[in-house]
Every structure is written in C-alpha cells, then in structure tokens.
Amino acid sequence: MSHAVIDDKRPGSSLRGATLPKWSPWAIAGGSIALAVVIGLAGGLDSRVQWGLIAGLLFLLATYGIAARVEGRRQAKDRIATALVWVAFLIAVVPLASLIWATVERGTEVLDGYFLTHSMGVVADSEPGGGIYHAILGSLEQVGLATVIGAPIGILTAIYLVEYGRGNLARAVTFFVDVMTGIPSIVAGLFILSLMLMFDMQPFGFAGSLALAILMMPVVVRSTEEMLKLVPNELREASLALGIPKWRTILKVVVPTSIGGIITGVMLSVARIAGETAPVLLLVFGNPFINSNPFEGAQASLPLYIYQQYAQSAGSQAAYDRAWAASLTLIAFVMILNLVARGIARWKAPKTSR
C-alpha cells in the first residue's frame, strides 16, 4: 500500500502560506528609526526621546500593516504582540542604561584608591579631596547588623507560615507582613526614633540597623515563603513516612531544597535596604570621621553621604563629583550583591538528572 507524501515546502503548496523573512523585523525597525529621524528633524523635535517614541509607534504600525498584507490578520496580531513586548522592553531598558552610563561617566571623575580609603576628616564639603571610607564602613556595619537581625526572623516566620501556620494567628501574621511590605522607610525610622527619644538616646549606627531590619523582614518573609511552597509535598511525606520528626524534616529536607532561593531573597532584600537614606538620616545622623563602633556615636553611610554631598553641590564642583562617585560605588555594591545571590542560587540549586 503506497502512501502519498505532501511536501508543504514547495512553492504554491496549500499547506504553507506566505511568510515574512526572518530579517523583516530588523528591516522594519531600521526603516522606522530612519523615518522617525526624518520626522523629528522636519518637525523641529530636539529630544531623542521623542524620536524614539515616534520610531516605536511607526514600528508597531508598519509591523501590523506589512504582516497583515503578507501573512494575514491572524499572524499579524501575533507579530504585533511580539513587537509590543520588544518595545516595552526597550522602554524599560533605555532609561536604565542611560542612568548607568551617566553614573559611570560622572562617577569616575574622582573615584580612585585615595577616594575609597580616606574619609572626609577635616576636609570641608566645599573643598576638593576627601573620600568615602567612613561611609563604606558605616554602610557595611549597619546593613550587616540589619541582616543578622532581619534575615533569621524573616526566614523563621516564613517557615511558620508555610509549615505550621493555621488559624487566626497565621492570618494575622500574613496581614501584618503585607502591611509592613508597603510601609515607607521614613515610618520605620520614626518608630525607632520614638524609642530613642523615650530612653533619651543619641544617634548611633545600630539604631539605623534596627530600622533597616524592619524594612528587610517582610521582603525576606515573602521571598522565603514562595521558595518553601515550591518544595514538593512528596519530599515532606516521604521523610515523615520514615518516622522523621517534622522539625527535622524541615531542617534536613525542606530548607536545603529551597536554600538557593532563600539566599537569593535575602541578598536581594539586603540590596534593597542598602540604598535607604531616610532612616539613616533620622537615626545615624552622619559623621565625617571614621567611627567603627555602631553602638556608640553617629556614623556615616553611603546613601546619607550621597545626599549630604549633593546638598552641598550647588556651590562646589568637588562635592558634586564626590556625590556621583559615591553613587557609582553604591551601584557597584548592589550589583555585586545581586551577582553573588545569583551565583549562590545556581550553586545551591538542586541537581537534576536527565
């Protein structure tokens, strides 16, 4: 018995409609950009942002029109959805890339070894010189203490909600975690400040750590909770079926399985609080000298240093340059934390066999 074979790749086959070549999106994008430049120049538009918006609109219209004429309206709708995703991606990436470029360009003016290893000391904000060593030291200590406080509490709270939480108490904890996730940082600072005023305490670094820990805990709870929910129940049931207590099952099975995601959540929450300025301004107060003791006396931090230097930049180019250099250092610090988080997550991810 013979079987008829239909070759749908031959010209004129009824099983294969006309399609645009793979290079067509690039050609449409290039034509849209060129036409947008012509329209911008002819219309006297000086802003390149306007040119980009016009190019994006032309790209969407041209993509739909050409695809509808060649491939049909159904395929054209699919292409316009893909084009919308790419346009939205570019709208999100271009400002971010522009911000990073501006920070690198301006931050490298005074960023060198001297700047990283010296404090402001007796250097006035309007004078050249000085550095951010005292601010780096203060940020590391304050963020480190906040992590030591906030990370364990957040992880244990998430374990309670996922593994034990039932009834009104669990619902109340979930509600307050949701509320804490959205509170402004200044509110956490005011809460710790009220306690300091009650006990007649002066600004010191650990007070800022307490406020940062309050901001950190709900982020850790939410990220850890989602990671624990991804652990298959079969693993828990298999461990419990062997007679292993629940607490040991959590410690030896559940947490190790999700440890990569948990560490990632903690590192991302650290990156989130590293740039907070309001609580540090209220509680730590700033200090141009090196203070390595977070439990006594005012301290500096990178976000507060940037704020103070930029506030003085109106009449001083040196303060303006120091503010941008400190901003670049803070971005590098957050970027390193994110890279470390991704590396740990990949290293600790459960190995899958094929």
Side-chain angles (χ1 to χ4, degrees), residues 212-233:
L212 295 179
I214 293 175
L215 298 173
M216 180 182 185
M217 280 187 284
V219 180
V220 176
V221 171
R222 278 286 164 257
S223 60
T224 304
E225 191 177 0
E226 294 303 320
M227 291 300 103
L228 294 176
K229 288 179 180 178
L230 294 177
V231 178
N233 284 327

Side-chain angles (χ1 to χ4, degrees), residues 311-353:
Q312 300 292 330
S313 64
S316 173
Q317 182 65 31
Y320 183 79
D321 293 337
R322 285 194 295 262
W324 278 107
S327 300
L328 180 58
T329 304
L330 183 59
I331 290 177
F333 175 67
V334 174
M335 186 178 297
I336 291 172
L337 285 179
N338 281 273
L339 292 176
V340 170
R342 290 180 178 273
I344 294 176
R346 186 182 297 272
W347 174 44
K348 290 294 185 179
K351 302 299 185 293
T352 57
S353 59

Side-chain angles (χ1 to χ4, degrees), residues 55-311:
L57 181 60
L58 292 175
F59 175 70
L60 294 176
L61 294 176
T63 298
Y64 182 80
I66 296 174
R69 184 175 182 84
V70 176
E71 300 176 332
R73 292 187 176 181
R74 183 176 180 179
Q75 187 64 23
K77 291 178 181 179
D78 178 75
R79 286 188 177 274
I80 200 67
T82 304
L84 282 171
V85 172
W86 278 103
V87 170
F89 169 75
L90 291 176
I91 291 175
V93 167
V94 169
L96 178 60
S98 176
L99 173 64
I100 294 176
W101 173 259
T103 306
V104 172
E105 183 181 18
R106 300 177 182 179
T108 53
E109 292 290 334
V110 296
L111 185 60
D112 52 20
Y114 180 88
F115 183 75
L116 295 175
T117 56
H118 287 74
S119 67
M120 291 303 293
V122 295
V123 179
D125 290 336
S126 59
E127 298 176 353
I132 58 171
Y133 176 76
H134 61 302
I136 294 176
L137 181 63
S139 286
L140 290 176
E141 291 182 348
Q142 294 160 28
V143 173
L145 289 172
T147 305
V148 171
I149 298 171
I153 295 176
I155 293 173
L156 292 175
T157 302
I159 291 175
Y160 165 76
L161 292 176
V162 175
E163 304 295 337
Y164 297 98
R166 302 292 184 273
N168 295 330
L169 179 59
R171 285 192 291 269
V173 172
T174 302
F175 171 76
F176 283 110
V177 169
D178 292 337
V179 171
M180 289 177 63
T181 303
I183 64 171
S185 59
I186 190 67
V187 176
L190 289 173
F191 172 70
I192 301 299
L193 180 62
S194 64
L195 297 179
M196 292 174 59
L197 294 176
M198 289 174 56
F199 294 99
D200 194 22
M201 302 174 68
Q202 298 298 319
F204 61 111
F206 185 65
S209 298
L210 293 176
L212 295 179
I214 293 175
L215 298 173
M216 180 182 185
M217 280 187 284
V219 180
V220 176
V221 171
R222 278 286 164 257
S223 60
T224 304
E225 191 177 0
E226 294 303 320
M227 291 300 103
L228 294 176
K229 288 179 180 178
L230 294 177
V231 178
N233 284 327
E234 289 79 4
L235 294 178
R236 297 180 176 90
E237 294 170 355
S239 178
L240 295 173
L242 295 175
I244 300 176
K246 187 171 184 177
W247 69 268
R248 195 170 182 84
T249 298
I250 296 172
L251 186 63
K252 296 294 185 179
V253 177
V254 177
V255 173
T257 303
S258 57
I259 190 64
I262 293 174
I263 294 176
T264 301
V266 172
M267 299 296 285
L268 293 179
S269 64
V270 170
R272 190 262 188 201
I273 65 173
E276 291 292 343
T277 307
V280 179
L281 179 61
L282 287 175
L283 307 172
V284 181
F285 205 67
N287 189 349
F289 295 93
I290 298 174
N291 179 13
S292 59
N293 185 3
F295 300 98
E296 182 180 358
Q299 264 193 328
S301 72
L302 279 174
L304 182 57
Y305 179 89
I306 296 168
Y307 169 77
Q308 292 173 337
Q309 292 298 313
Y310 189 77

